[in-house]
Each structure stands twice: as C-alpha cells, then as structure tokens.
Amino acid sequence: DTGVSQNPRHKITKRGQNVTFRCDPISEHNRLYWYRQTLGQGPEFLTYFQNEAQLEKSRLLSDRFSAERPKGSFSTLEIQRTEQGDSAMYLCASSLMAGVQETQYFGPGTRLLVL
Amino acid sequence: QKEVEQNSGPLSVPEGAIASLNCTYSDRGSQSFFWYRQYSGKSPELIMSIYSNGDKEDGRFTAQLNKASQYVSLLIRDSQPSDSATYLCAVDTGGFKTIFGAGTRLFVKA
C-alpha cells in the first residue's frame, strides 16, 4: 500500500453514461497524475496537477474527460458519455518534488468496463 | 515522438538465475529513470530509480544506466517465482510527463 487510494476500484457502466473516479494522494504530495492503462500497454499520461492547478493535459484527453483537484487535495476524473474504447484501468499517482528528483507512487487503480 | 522501448517478452528464467531486462529511450534530454513491477491486475510498484550513469544496487536488484547509449537495464539476481510479473521502464524527460514502456513479462520457473 503506497498511501494513494482510489475509488471505486471497479466500475461497470453502459455506453453513454457518465462516470466519476476519485483519487486521494499521499497527504504531503503536491503533484498528482492521472494515467490510463490498457491490456499489454504501459500507463499513458492523461493529466497532471501541481497543487490545485491543472498544468498539463494529454492530447489523448478528449472533451469528454475532465479532471479537478479542488484545494489541492483529492482529485476527480470524470468521463462523460462513455464509449467502449474508454474501458481501461485508470491510475492515479502522486509525488513530492525533491530538487530535481521526483518519484511517483501509484494508487490501486479503478478498472472501468463500458458495455 | 518520445518513446521508451522494451522487449515485450515473455522472458523465462529458472529459479535462482539472473534475469536481465532492457530498455531504450529516444529523448537524450531524459533526466530520471525508473523501473516498476506490475503484477497482473494490480497497479505499478516502484522498484528502482536511477539518475546518473552507472550501476545502482538495492538488494537483489541492480539498475544500470548509460545515457550515451540511451539505455537502462534492470538485473534481478537469484530470481524467485514471486518475481514473475511485468516490469515497466519509465523515463522522465524533464517535463510533466513520465513516459512508460509497454513492459516486459518475466516468468521465473520453479
């Protein structure tokens, strides 16, 4: 257990529905990342927060995806009008920048299945 | 396109042998390098980080970095069946993104 928690752990939804995932980072970590991982691939970067500011978004992130990190604490990732191609593991990671070195610690992930 | 490449495997080694996992990256400006272990259905778990050329040892694990060759490797000594997993190489290019390889599947046969 890295100290990063994610909820729910599993989500099954029908195509067209909206889903929201939550990530609670390690409390002193100021950086938070969202990744998506599909079978046989490594995690793909989606978006990044420094405290409450969303500083980077991947081109993979369509307009149906939105992420927030109010007050620089927990973060939510919402997918609107889900599609079958959204089925994946959604991973959250947090880190504390120390000089030029940064190590990301991953949560357990939320596995999404869109029917 | 910034890339991190790994042999997908599977790499099969007998118990007690040395497993050697390799990774190449394309961005010469990359600063930090990581190896994560991922069991099936679980999230990645950090094993090693390395920031400068040479070797870094931690228990049975040794990470090797050669920035001139844009190459990073992970050696697992005295491999155990519990080491069977997918090993992800990750590279921090100095921006906000960490780029992951697709991973190498390792099987350690008892």
Side-chain angles (χ1 to χ4, degrees):
Chain A
D1 183 0
T2 62
V4 180
S5 61
Q6 291 186 247
N7 287 288
R9 298 289 303 277
H10 303 273
K11 180 70 176 179
I12 301 174
T13 191
K14 293 182 179 179
R15 189 176 54 187
Q17 298 295 304
N18 299 342
V19 295
T20 300
F21 308 142
R22 175 174 170 134
C23 172
D24 287 89
I26 296 171
S27 59
E28 64 268 26
H29 284 186
N30 58 349
R31 293 188 168 187
L32 188 148
Y33 299 80
W34 284 99
Y35 292 87
R36 179 173 64 191
Q37 186 177 24
T38 53
L39 195 63
Q41 300 298 314
E44 293 177 292
F45 171 83
L46 292 179
T47 191
Y48 153 76
F49 290 86
Q50 172 104 2
N51 299 312
E52 68 275 10
Q54 187 175 19
L55 299 183
E56 185 79 11
K57 287 176 62 173
S58 168
R59 285 170 291 189
L60 294 174
L61 218 60
S62 75
D63 292 344
R64 297 184 297 105
F65 288 71
S66 62
E68 294 182 341
R69 192 184 182 196
K71 304 178 182 178
S73 55
F74 70 92
S75 176
T76 58
L77 177 68
E78 180 182 16
I79 309 174
Q80 296 182 326
R81 304 182 303 282
T82 52
E83 301 173 355
Q84 288 183 326
D86 297 330
S87 296
M89 172 83 91
Y90 289 84
L91 294 162
C92 172
S94 71
S95 71
L96 179 66
M97 193 70 177
V100 296
Q101 298 180 357
E102 176 187 12
T103 300
Q104 296 181 31
Y105 295 91
F106 283 87
T110 295
R111 187 172 295 280
L112 172 66
L113 177 62
V114 181
L115 300 177
Chain B
Q1 177 73 26
K2 300 175 182 176
E3 289 186 334
V4 176
E5 296 190 8
Q6 299 180 250
N7 187 323
S8 62
L11 173 66
S12 183
V13 300
E15 183 176 0
I18 295 174
S20 178
L21 305 164
N22 305 314
C23 172
T24 59
Y25 60 94
S26 61
D27 188 347
R28 285 194 172 275
S30 299
Q31 305 284 327
S32 307
F33 307 85
F34 307 90
W35 283 100
Y36 286 84
R37 177 175 62 197
Q38 187 171 28
Y39 293 113
S40 180
K42 303 296 185 182
S43 64
E45 172 193 8
L46 181 69
I47 297 176
M48 295 281 289
S49 58
I50 186 166
Y51 304 98
S52 55
N53 281 328
D55 295 358
K56 179 181 178 182
E57 185 175 322
D58 184 0
R60 295 186 297 112
F61 300 98
T62 299
Q64 300 174 317
L65 175 61
N66 184 327
K67 290 186 178 180
S69 299
Q70 295 175 243
Y71 177 90
V72 58
S73 66
L74 179 70
L75 300 178
I76 306 175
R77 289 181 300 281
D78 188 25
S79 295
Q80 301 297 308
S82 59
D83 294 326
S84 297
T86 296
Y87 289 81
L88 299 166
C89 173
V91 176
D92 181 349
T93 61
F96 301 129
K97 298 181 199 179
T98 297
I99 309 297
F100 284 81
T104 298
R105 290 164 53 207
L106 172 66
F107 289 109
V108 180
K109 298 174 292 184

